[in-house]
Amino acid sequence: QVHLRESGPGLVEPSGTLSLTCTVSSGSVRYYYWNWIRQSPGRGPEWIGYIYYSGSTNYNPSLKSRVAISADMSKDQFSLHLSSVTAADTAVYFCAVGSGWQRVFEHWGQGARVTVSS
Amino acid sequence: QPVLTQPPSVSGAPGQRITISCTGSSSNIGAGYEVLWYQQLPGAAPKLLIYENSNRPSGVPDRFSGSKSGASASLAITGLQAVDEADYYCQSYDNSLTGYVFGTGTKVTVL
């Protein structure tokens, strides 16, 4: 059974940095793609980026200048940092893992609601 | 940003068969990239329903099936049930945007 849990502040001030951590429990199964996805109210999901088990990263070009994803594989945790946030970054943020590059969102966390407001 | 187009809503009576379309382009589905489908129940995270265009993960009922043709894909639900009321999203890779893209989403209502 795969279990993912997002954690972090639910409120971030405009121009600040949004930081979230995902803790992965996957037993003996190895997932190679660790992703962040967000969903704004009333809209479909938007892929933010992933970190591969080797440590390499790949980001959505529309967010690339503001995003950093890092991981501590020994703790089965990975983190999202999104800088210079505005109200448009208010969303539910999900972490998700996958076993292949065309199967990157196999299992999802429950999501963390983040509001950008002063 | 969405580059995969879905109908906003589809409805059907219990027991009926419905289909949801997902229309892409030559830079995503038409380029040969696989299509995946997700079900999102109200207030929950998306759940993988179909991968590699037509395969079901373990535990997904065989009432759900996927297909792909050219630059489009479809999700079919047979024997529609009340528990199937949810939002459904298709997803693929786009080599023009160099990233993963989701569809606009379809809300399924069981009448």
Side-chain angles (χ1 to χ4, degrees), chain B residues 6-55:
Chain B
Q6 300 177 232
S9 63
V10 173
S11 61
Q16 280 191 330
R17 178 181 186 271
I18 62 170
T19 61
I20 301 170
S21 61
C22 174
T23 303
S25 67
S26 59
S27 63
N28 42 69
I29 300 174
Y33 296 109
E34 294 168 353
V35 178
L36 297 87
W37 290 90
Y38 302 86
Q39 177 194 59
Q40 187 173 30
L41 297 171
K47 169 192 169 185
L48 180 62
L49 271 186
I50 298 288
Y51 66 97
E52 292 176 356
N53 307 317
S54 59
N55 293 324

Side-chain angles (χ1 to χ4, degrees), chain A residues 21-88:
Chain A
T21 295
C22 179
T23 302
V24 183
S25 301
S26 61
S28 60
V29 179
R30 165 67 70 181
Y31 291 92
Y32 297 98
Y33 293 83
W34 293 9
N35 298 268
W36 286 100
I37 300 151
R38 70 181 182 180
Q39 187 171 26
S40 302
R43 302 190 65 180
E46 177 184 26
W47 173 69
I48 298 171
Y50 69 66
I51 184 164
Y52 188 55
Y53 84 106
S54 65
S56 63
T57 54
N58 188 17
Y59 301 133
N60 185 324
S62 69
L63 298 169
K64 190 173 184 177
S65 63
R66 300 193 291 130
V67 172
I69 298 176
S70 59
D72 185 339
M73 300 291 181
S74 67
K75 295 183 178 179
D76 284 334
Q77 290 182 331
F78 64 110
S79 297
L80 167 70
H81 300 282
L82 180 66
S83 62
S84 304
V85 297
T86 69

